[in-house]
Amino acid sequence: MEPRFLLLSDVATELNVSDSQVYHMVRSGELPAIKIGGRGQWRVERAQLEDYIQRKYAETAEWVRGNPLVDRDTE
């Protein structure tokens, strides 16, 4: 069974980005997370990560539609 909450380092591994990139995504509010414990450690709920990934797919698809690939060999 997969854990419900992930460490920021786990999220970084899942997304193949650095820990500091995930920290920035969390602190900016781009990726919802919670702080728990006396030391205020960040955790990202797996469902929130999956929602984030789906939003990024949708944003990318919209960007691709708005920025079609131009054939450079039209001489």
Side-chain angles (χ1 to χ4, degrees), residues 6-8 10-12 14-15 17 19 21-34 42-56:
L6 303 169
L7 302 169
L8 296 190
D10 295 333
V11 174
E14 289 275 332
L15 296 176
V17 299
D19 291 0
Q21 285 175 298
V22 173
Y23 179 76
H24 177 74
M25 290 162 37
V26 166
R27 292 288 288 143
S28 70
E30 181 180 353
L31 177 60
I34 60 172
W42 289 102
R43 295 294 185 269
V44 176
E45 191 172 8
R46 182 168 291 282
Q48 290 291 342
L49 177 58
E50 293 302 325
D51 289 347
Y52 172 80
I53 292 169
Q54 290 306 311
R55 283 194 314 273
K56 288 299 174 186

Side-chain angles (χ1 to χ4, degrees), residues 51-69:
D51 289 347
Y52 172 80
I53 292 169
Q54 290 306 311
R55 283 194 314 273
K56 288 299 174 186
Y57 271 117
E59 288 173 14
T60 301
E62 183 178 330
W63 183 88
V64 168
R65 282 191 298 275
N67 297 278
L69 185 61

